């Protein structure tokens, strides 16, 4: 599968919505809110959304942000979301997206890459560990009232 890795474009939005909804199982990204959200992300140079494109269709996406934290001398790269279309998995696309993120982190002098993955996504856990990520914990969330 021939894949191009590049920054997201407006023409990619509908494909990204489908990936986030169908393959990641997250219904919070919709055709009604994606443009405004990406516009907000693009207004801050610390955020990047990168897509994997094959045959003019987005088959993968990674969302990431550079973050500073007290526990790290220099910043780190937080991967907020990584998704590859189900029928395009195990073809190296996730690896290419992770490699792109690592190159970005290295070029920006960041110390770590960090991501959180749902505890039920055991195949994803195995993938991340195979790419050199250490399993430290899972992510817990709470809605703010």
């Amino acid at each position: 599968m021939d894949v191009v890795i590049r920054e997201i474009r407006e023409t990619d939005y509908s494909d990204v919505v489908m990936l986030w909804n169908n393959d990641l199982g997250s219904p919070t990204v919709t055709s009604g809110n994606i443009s405004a959200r990406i516009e907000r992300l693009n207004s801050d140079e610390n955020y990047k959304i990168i897509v994997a494109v094959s045959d003019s269709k987005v088959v993968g996406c990674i969302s990431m942000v550079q973050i500073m934290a007290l526990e790290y001398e220099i910043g780190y790269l937080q991967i907020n979301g990584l998704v590859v279309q189900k029928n395009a998995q195990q073809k190296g696309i996730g690896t290419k997206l992770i490699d792109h993120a690592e190159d970005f982190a290295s070029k920006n002098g960041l110390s770590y890459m960090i991501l959180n993955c749902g505890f039920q996504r055991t195949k994803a856990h195995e993938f991340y560990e195979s790419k050199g990520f250490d399993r430290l914990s899972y992510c817990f969330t709470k809605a703010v009232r």
Side-chain angles (χ1 to χ4, degrees):
M1 178 177 272
D2 190 33
V3 176
V4 174
I5 305 296
R6 61 167 171 74
E7 288 195 37
I8 194 168
R9 298 177 185 156
E10 192 170 347
T11 55
D12 302 327
Y13 292 1
S14 61
D15 287 344
V16 170
V17 168
M18 295 296 286
L19 284 172
W20 236 254
N21 293 173
N22 299 334
D23 296 289
L24 195 59
S26 177
T28 59
V29 177
T30 67
S31 58
N33 67 25
I34 191 170
S35 294
R37 288 183 181 180
I38 291 178
E39 186 176 313
R40 284 176 46 206
L41 294 172
N42 285 340
S43 70
D44 184 336
E45 65 188 32
N46 291 311
Y47 288 90
K48 294 287 179 204
I49 300 176
I50 305 300
V51 294
V53 179
S54 179
D55 295 326
S56 302
K57 182 170 176 52
V58 175
V59 294
C61 181
I62 189 168
S63 172
M64 52 195 182
V65 60
Q66 299 178 70
I67 298 176
M68 295 296 295
L70 288 175
E71 64 266 28
Y72 300 107
E73 185 174 337
I74 57 176
Y76 64 92
L77 187 69
Q78 169 74 43
I79 297 173
N80 292 328
L82 171 61
V83 60
V84 174
Q85 188 177 47
K86 281 186 177 66
N87 65 0
Q89 291 179 2
Q90 298 189 350
K91 296 182 180 175
I93 295 167
T95 298
K96 287 179 181 181
L97 289 167
I98 291 284
D99 289 348
H100 183 86
E102 189 166 9
D103 289 345
F104 177 83
S106 178
K107 287 176 186 171
N108 286 285
L110 303 174
S111 57
Y112 287 92
M113 292 192 319
I114 297 174
L115 60 85
N116 293 311
C117 183
F119 68 91
Q120 76 280 12
R121 296 183 66 218
T122 55
K123 285 186 181 178
H125 301 170
E126 293 169 8
F127 170 74
Y128 296 133
E129 288 174 332
S130 78
K131 299 303 165 202
F133 285 84
D134 294 323
R135 185 187 300 200
L136 300 174
S137 66
Y138 298 105
C139 176
F140 296 88
T141 62
K142 180 181 183 220
V144 177
R145 293 186 269 169

